[in-house]
Amino acid sequence: MYELGVVRRFSAAHRLRNYNGKCENLHGHNYTVEVVVQGDRLVDGMLVDFSLLKQLLDALLGRLDHGYLNDIEPFTGIEPSAENIAEHLFRELGPHLPDHVSIVSVKVWETGDNWAVYRPGT
Ligand SMILES: [Zn+2]
């Protein structure tokens, strides 16, 4: 089995609606996102082209970059937390991957010290 990952970044504003503390106030983060995929078959020596993975992730992050997450689906109805951003990106990215590749996890850093990962079934 092979695994590989890419890391991309975006900036966005949000506020946590049901939170009693600083994060209930409007503020922004420079988010870092890591996507990990896996598969057991290489094509021309590669599991998947890094540039394809970056392109697919960038297309999703483009919807969020420099936006107010609370106004962007699906975060109009759920908290725009790192956990929910990770799950959202996981679910959106998975169907676009080549057939021989599956998504393992999406990790979202809100700061250099805080991250959340979404990995189904664990
Ligand atoms: Zn925040």
Side-chain angles (χ1 to χ4, degrees):
M1 187 70 77
Y2 303 93
E3 273 190 11
L4 64 79
V6 294
V7 172
R8 308 302 276 171
R9 292 177 177 81
F10 73 100
S11 302
H14 77 164
R15 59 178 292 270
L16 299 182
R17 300 173 183 96
N18 299 310
Y19 184 81
N20 190 16
K22 286 203 298 189
C23 287
E24 69 182 316
N25 299 317
L26 174 63
H27 63 283
H29 293 288
N30 294 314
Y31 291 93
T32 299
V33 178
E34 179 193 69
V35 171
V36 176
V37 300
Q38 70 176 17
D40 54 13
R41 186 166 65 83
L42 301 184
V43 177
D44 296 329
M46 294 187 290
L47 178 61
V48 62
D49 193 335
F50 287 116
S51 61
L52 172 65
L53 205 48
K54 288 177 185 171
Q55 189 184 321
L56 293 171
L57 183 55
D58 285 349
L60 293 175
L61 298 183
R63 285 185 60 240
L64 309 178
D65 192 34
H66 286 73
Y68 177 42
L69 298 180
N70 296 58
D71 284 347
I72 301 170
E73 289 294 337
F75 308 109
T76 54
I78 60 173
E79 290 283 23
S81 61
E83 292 88 332
N84 282 335
I85 295 169
E87 181 173 356
H88 164 68
L89 294 172
F90 184 101
R91 295 188 185 286
E92 290 290 312
L93 189 62
H96 297 287
L97 294 172
D99 289 342
H100 69 290
V101 175
S102 59
I103 187 165
V104 174
S105 63
V106 174
K107 189 172 186 175
V108 173
W109 284 261
E110 278 195 349
T111 70
D113 299 324
N114 302 343
W115 55 261
V117 65
Y118 181 76
R119 183 185 303 114
T122 57

